Amino acid sequence: MWKAQTHQTAADGIPHVALESSVSFLRDGYTYISRICDAHRGDAFSTRIMLTPVICMRGAEAAEIFWRDGRRRRQFRTSELACAPSSQSK
């Protein structure tokens, strides 16, 4: 079984997971952040994706931080996508 290895911990207490995580991120997709957070028993970690330093977070606080400035908008709600008419109607 795969186990995440922490290389160092940032000054703010967020674990730094790997020097580069692009391959793992592309391989695992949606489950990547949760898998690493579960392995470290936390809700945030830092890493690099495509050599760019990033902080990955999950949970209500992460959603609040992401949406709070009002610059992002949801195009569709899940219920709208589930009920959207097919463009290939016969």
Side-chain angles (χ1 to χ4, degrees):
M1 180 169 200
W2 181 88
K3 183 177 178 181
Q5 295 183 1
T6 304
H7 294 287
Q8 65 187 34
T9 300
D12 55 9
I14 297 174
H16 184 77
V17 174
L19 295 175
E20 175 55 37
S21 295
S22 296
V23 173
S24 295
F25 179 73
L26 290 170
R27 181 188 63 224
D28 295 349
Y30 184 77
T31 62
Y32 172 74
I33 294 173
S34 288
R35 182 176 59 79
I36 301 297
C37 285
D38 288 345
H40 289 283
R41 296 186 177 121
D43 288 326
F45 63 93
S46 67
T47 189
R48 288 178 181 262
I49 296 180
M50 296 184 72
L51 301 176
T52 302
V54 296
I55 295 176
C56 300
M57 298 173 63
R58 68 176 177 180
E61 185 178 1
E64 181 182 326
I65 291 168
F66 184 79
W67 293 106
R68 88 168 121 198
D69 64 9
R71 287 185 272 170
R72 293 170 198 84
R73 276 190 13 199
R74 290 183 180 171
Q75 265 188 317
F76 300 102
R77 290 186 299 257
T78 304
S79 59
E80 289 174 341
L81 291 174
C83 299
S86 172
S87 61
Q88 297 178 349
S89 299
K90 291 185 179 180

